[in-house]
Amino acid sequence: MDDLDQSLHDMQLAAQARRLATGWLEAFEAALASRDAARISALFHEDSHWRDILAFTWHLTPTAGREAIAARLAAEQARTAAHGFHLPQGRKPPRQVKRLGIDSIEAIFEFATADGRGAGLIRLSPSPEEGGAMRAWLLSTTLEALRGHEEKIGANRPSGAAYSRNFGGDNWADMRRRAIAYDDREPAVLVIGAAQAGLSIAARLNQLGVDTLIVEQWPRIGDSWRRRYHSLALHNSIHLNHLPYMEFPPTWPKYIPKDMLGNWFEFYADAMEINCWTETTFVGGAWDEAARCWTARVRRADGSERILRPRHLVFANGVSSFPKVPELPGLEEFQGQIIHSEGFDSGAGWEGKSALILGTGSSANDIALDLHSHGVKTTLIQRGSTTVVSIDPSARLNEAIWDEGGPLEDCDLIVSSATPPLIVKAYKSVTKRMLELDRDMIAGLKEIGFKHDVGEDEAGHQMKYFRRGGGYNLDAGSSALMIRGEIGLLQYDRIERFTAGGALLKDGSTVPADLIILATGYYPQEELVRRALGDAMLERIGPVWGIGEDGELNNMYKRTPQQGLWFIAGGLSQCRINSKYLALQIKAMELGKLGPL
């Protein structure tokens, strides 16, 4: 087939995809308007999935099975009044793709509801039982904007009249100083933490007109990244890590160094007019049921404290909270230096010394590489089995949707459309491919006694992250050094106890050490909630992060059992995507459109 024939063929396929997607959407809108569950059901495969993000259910709601989907859509339509389903201009056009092994028509659509504007995704494939008629095996519906309260971006941007050419009056800088001070008002939202999660949600809320203050314990925005170990860089590619509204410069490297990212966060906060108090610690808070707000106590850099009364409290300080330091026999006798991985900076100054690193996750392995590069005799101590994945090519498989190109918001919509069962199925498929790509590395690790696994259901490292926040290594080169014996590997079950000079093994020998790094992870966010808000509040809200009964993350990006208490965490892409949905919920609650659970 020559280029002209190929082009004509592609145009025909595109036209067919558009025609089939349009036909399905027209039939779906008519069935939905009838609120006839049987009629809606006829448009889906038996094994089908729907993920609603606020549009119909005001929650993050996955539903599986044709009958369950149809019943829920029919019931919710009375309130939602969804209509105007269409294929929009300017977004990825309908196309033929293969997803999870299924040849499908994939199309992004838009629609309207009683509350605002929505977007979604369908994946259609022929039904052999119905003569090849196109039926949906995936539907997603997402609230994109609240009517009358759209984001102040693009054509809806502010005029700047309040300070532009305001001769003799306040200019922009004056107004920013007053806004940040909060001398004359209380914030509607108090956000704890000014890394990717806090900055993303604050930027979103700003564009919705919700007064938001971030408190950050470090002296500068971005210090939570700058203060990490010296050699750290992101382990996933730049093109999926942009923050809301502002993409990274096209000149930046594929894997962003920590200090570069920290500096960008500081610049971003200024450019997005985010109110932030640095060197400020959230001490604790309590919900005032009568006033329907929080009594939140924060401590400033000078030691003074202030009571704030926000209606919403957003924890945005990471999947983990406080460093976990295990009680290990004899560790208190060690005469060298003990550092938790959180406090490690660089191997500089340890040249010619010996180090033991307790842990085999990503941080442990990155630290091992740093120490090794400084001439430190380094040994990793493995306690439990670990999933090991090469950064490139294997880990990059999870970037496939963004690799396809197109507008970032379209890629984000496609990624967020998957329901939990489909996510697990996809990760299982990707993990199989990862095992093929990393075959030699994994075999070499096993030969030296490394305990390797691919997750409890062979869904790989990404599901480990969602379920427990760790247990894997995105390999930057330490595995090859372990296999060659340049970095040591010691199984913890060989250790009798730690001593003044290192680790005493059960065979009577000693592994000497001058330095012990505890790459032993962190307590989950529940510990932060317990310390800041008390045991009763923790018992009320339940787990934070980890997989819930519905397959979604526990209490993340959505209403919790406590009114006005919210959580956002994860990598940059997770925070960018989910900050939009969290901000819409807070705005809707401010408008009285959404009540507590």
Side-chain angles (χ1 to χ4, degrees):
M1 185 180 293
D2 60 27
D3 290 345
L4 179 58
D5 289 341
Q6 183 64 55
S7 179
L8 289 172
H9 180 67
D10 291 344
M11 290 174 62
Q12 289 171 348
L13 290 178
Q16 181 188 44
R18 175 169 289 276
R19 176 176 56 79
L20 292 171
T22 299
W24 190 92
L25 288 172
E26 290 173 350
F28 177 67
E29 180 165 355
L32 196 60
S34 73
R35 292 168 53 195
D36 182 338
R39 192 172 166 188
I40 297 171
S41 174
L43 295 169
F44 290 85
H45 287 283
E46 181 67 35
D47 181 15
S48 53
H49 299 263
W50 170 40
R51 188 176 192 232
D52 180 65
I53 303 176
L54 311 180
F56 280 79
T57 64
W58 273 116
H59 209 56
L60 310 186
T61 309
T63 307
R66 177 168 64 191
E67 303 305 324
I69 291 171
R72 188 72 187 263
L73 281 166
E76 298 290 352
Q77 174 65 3
R79 180 197 61 80
T80 304
H83 64 281
F85 289 81
H86 66 280
L87 300 176
Q89 296 293 323
R91 306 198 75 156
K92 281 190 175 184
R95 56 201 176 128
Q96 295 192 8
V97 297
K98 178 170 282 191
R99 303 291 192 206
L100 297 177
I102 303 172
D103 289 318
S104 307
I105 300 297
E106 180 177 271
I108 291 174
F109 61 88
E110 292 182 353
F111 63 102
T113 73
D115 294 312
R117 175 176 56 81
L121 186 82
I122 50 171
R123 289 190 185 134
L124 311 174
S125 63
S127 173
E129 298 84 4
E130 299 172 88
M134 300 301 285
R135 297 291 178 255
W137 63 270
L138 174 68
L139 168 70
S140 74
T141 49
T142 302
L143 185 66
E144 296 273 292
L146 288 164
R147 185 172 296 106
H149 303 278
E150 292 80 4
E151 293 176 311
K152 292 179 284 188
I153 60 176
N156 196 39
R157 71 174 73 237
S159 68
Y163 47 77
S164 294
R165 293 178 293 280
N166 187 23
F167 302 110
D170 288 347
N171 67 4
W172 175 84
D174 297 326
M175 297 183 72
R176 289 296 302 132
R177 280 189 290 271
R178 281 212 319 273
I180 294 170
Y182 284 93
D183 287 334
D184 57 352
R185 71 195 195 286
E186 298 285 349
V189 180
L190 179 64
V191 178
I192 304 164
Q196 62 266 22
L199 294 175
S200 293
I201 186 60
R204 298 282 194 189
L205 288 167
N206 277 358
Q207 303 318 307
L208 292 175
V210 180
D211 194 356
T212 302
L213 169 65
I214 299 179
V215 292
E216 168 59 56
Q217 64 176 329
W218 298 115
R220 292 172 60 192
I221 294 171
D223 276 352
S224 58
W225 280 89
R226 291 188 195 94
R227 290 170 177 262
R228 299 189 188 189
Y229 52 89
H230 191 71
S231 57
L232 176 64
L234 294 184
H235 285 162
N236 48 22
S237 301
I238 189 171
H239 64 295
L240 62 91
N241 283 321
H242 307 290
L243 293 180
Y245 312 115
M246 287 179 64
E247 296 192 4
F248 295 116
T251 57
W252 275 33
K254 186 174 183 178
Y255 299 105
I256 305 174
K258 67 177 181 74
D259 298 286
M260 202 175 199
L261 186 64
N263 291 345
W264 179 261
F265 282 178
E266 194 168 43
F267 165 76
Y268 179 86
D270 188 43
M272 296 305 300
E273 301 179 292
I274 291 172
N275 299 332
C276 182
W277 291 354
T278 55
E279 292 188 281
T280 302
T281 303
F282 176 73
V283 178
W287 175 252
D288 186 332
E289 185 64 34
R292 313 300 282 179
C293 70
W294 292 92
T295 301
R297 187 159 57 98
V298 300
R299 183 175 298 125
R300 306 300 303 274
D302 60 5
S304 64
E305 293 192 354
R306 176 165 168 180
I307 300 296
L308 297 168
R309 298 187 179 278
R311 291 183 291 278
H312 306 271
L313 189 62
V314 180
F315 282 91
N317 39 4
V319 174
S320 309
S321 58
F322 301 99
K324 185 181 291 185
V325 178
E327 294 185 6
L328 303 173
L331 188 62
E332 71 281 358
E333 300 172 14
F334 181 63
Q335 296 298 302
Q337 188 168 353
I338 301 173
I339 306 173
H340 190 274
S341 57
E342 183 180 58
F344 177 81
D345 178 42
S346 169
W350 292 96
E351 294 86 348
K353 303 290 187 180
S354 297
L356 294 173
I357 303 175
L358 187 63
T360 47
S362 288
S363 294
N365 279 271
D366 283 359
I367 290 170
L369 282 168
D370 188 272
L371 289 168
H372 177 266
S373 71
H374 283 90
V376 180
K377 185 178 181 182
T378 304
T379 300
L380 286 162
I381 301 173
Q382 185 175 33
R383 292 194 294 174
S385 65
T386 308
T387 305
V388 182
V389 177
S390 62
I391 292 175
D392 194 353
S394 288
R396 290 210 66 244
L397 295 176
N398 286 333
E399 303 173 10
I401 295 298
W402 289 282
D403 286 343
E404 292 176 359
L408 184 64
E409 66 172 340
D410 290 355
C411 296
D412 289 350
L413 181 68
I414 294 170
V415 168
S416 63
S417 69
T419 61
L422 296 182
I423 290 172
V424 172
K425 185 177 181 180
Y427 283 138
K428 285 183 177 181
S429 176
V430 168
T431 299
K432 288 181 181 179
R433 179 60 179 150
M434 289 177 176
L435 290 173
E436 294 172 3
L437 293 170
D438 295 338
R439 182 189 302 109
D440 293 343
M441 177 182 70
I442 294 169
L445 287 171
K446 289 181 176 179
E447 284 180 9
I448 63 170
F450 189 93
K451 298 174 183 176
H452 182 271
D453 71 81
V454 288
E456 63 188 54
D457 53 2
E458 300 185 336
H461 73 283
Q462 195 67 59
M463 286 307 301
K464 273 192 168 185
Y465 171 63
F466 292 141
R467 287 166 174 156
R468 50 181 281 201
Y472 59 88
N473 171 35
L474 298 180
D475 184 71
S478 57
S479 292
L481 293 174
M482 272 192 282
I483 292 167
R484 295 201 300 266
E486 296 180 42
I487 291 177
L489 175 67
L490 174 64
Q491 293 299 328
Y492 182 78
D493 57 16
R494 292 183 58 202
I495 298 175
E496 180 69 32
R497 60 183 287 109
F498 290 92
T499 66
L504 174 65
L505 305 187
K506 292 177 180 177
D507 64 8
S509 63
T510 296
V511 180
D514 304 289
L515 171 68
I516 293 178
I517 305 286
L518 301 176
T520 47
Y522 299 81
Y523 288 101
Q525 272 222 357
E526 288 99 299
E527 180 62 17
L528 177 62
V529 174
R530 187 187 67 79
R531 297 189 192 189
L533 303 180
D535 290 329
M537 183 63 71
L538 177 59
E539 184 176 351
R540 175 176 175 77
I541 66 171
V544 180
W545 200 260
I547 302 298
E549 292 182 2
D550 62 357
E552 299 277 349
L553 289 170
N554 286 311
N555 282 318
M556 298 300 300
Y557 324 123
K558 58 191 175 185
R559 285 176 289 169
T560 71
Q562 171 58 53
Q563 180 178 345
L565 182 60
W566 312 84
F567 296 89
I568 180 171
L572 277 81
S573 60
Q574 276 182 290
C575 293
R576 178 186 68 249
I577 292 170
N578 291 291
S579 60
K580 183 170 190 173
Y581 312 139
L582 177 51
L584 282 170
Q585 291 171 85
I586 291 175
K587 180 65 175 182
M589 196 168 281
E590 287 290 284
L591 295 170
K593 291 179 174 291
L594 185 64
L597 282 174

